[in-house]
Amino acid sequence: MAHFAQIKNNIVKNVIVVSNDDCGGGDYPDSEPIGQTFIASLGIAGEWLQTSYHANFRGCYASIGYTYDADLDEFVPPTIEPIDEP
């Protein structure tokens, strides 16, 4: 299975699963444009980037709320601020 993250303003808004068959049966990066074409053929708009469940590329697996850093070509998890203790 291939995973694709929907990016808007460099923020991950959604993540979907696409069958390997619908990505040409190949590996990233060759599978990405084929998967993007398949997603568009379903009428699902937006910018979609392939993400790796096992973090084999693009830094880490993308989740909703993560940032996409185009310069690094990586997904970046949100920063969690520590809770102030009284």
Side-chain angles (χ1 to χ4, degrees):
M1 302 308 270
H3 300 83
F4 284 80
Q6 183 183 41
I7 308 302
K8 185 172 184 179
N9 297 324
N10 293 326
I11 302 296
V12 177
K13 298 297 183 179
N14 200 358
V15 179
I16 62 172
V17 177
V18 175
S19 168
N20 287 339
D21 291 340
D22 295 318
C23 291
D27 293 325
Y28 175 83
D30 296 333
S31 57
E32 184 173 64
I34 300 167
Q36 290 166 330
T37 299
F38 173 74
I39 293 167
S41 77
L42 298 175
I44 304 173
E47 178 183 2
W48 293 89
L49 298 176
Q50 194 167 353
T51 184
S52 171
Y53 187 79
H54 299 289
N56 293 329
F57 52 87
R58 291 206 165 115
C60 65
Y61 179 71
S63 292
I64 293 172
Y66 281 38
T67 300
Y68 174 67
D69 185 322
D71 292 333
L72 298 175
D73 191 27
E74 291 185 353
F75 293 103
V76 180
T79 302
I80 299 174
E81 298 293 328
I83 298 172
D84 292 331
E85 295 291 328

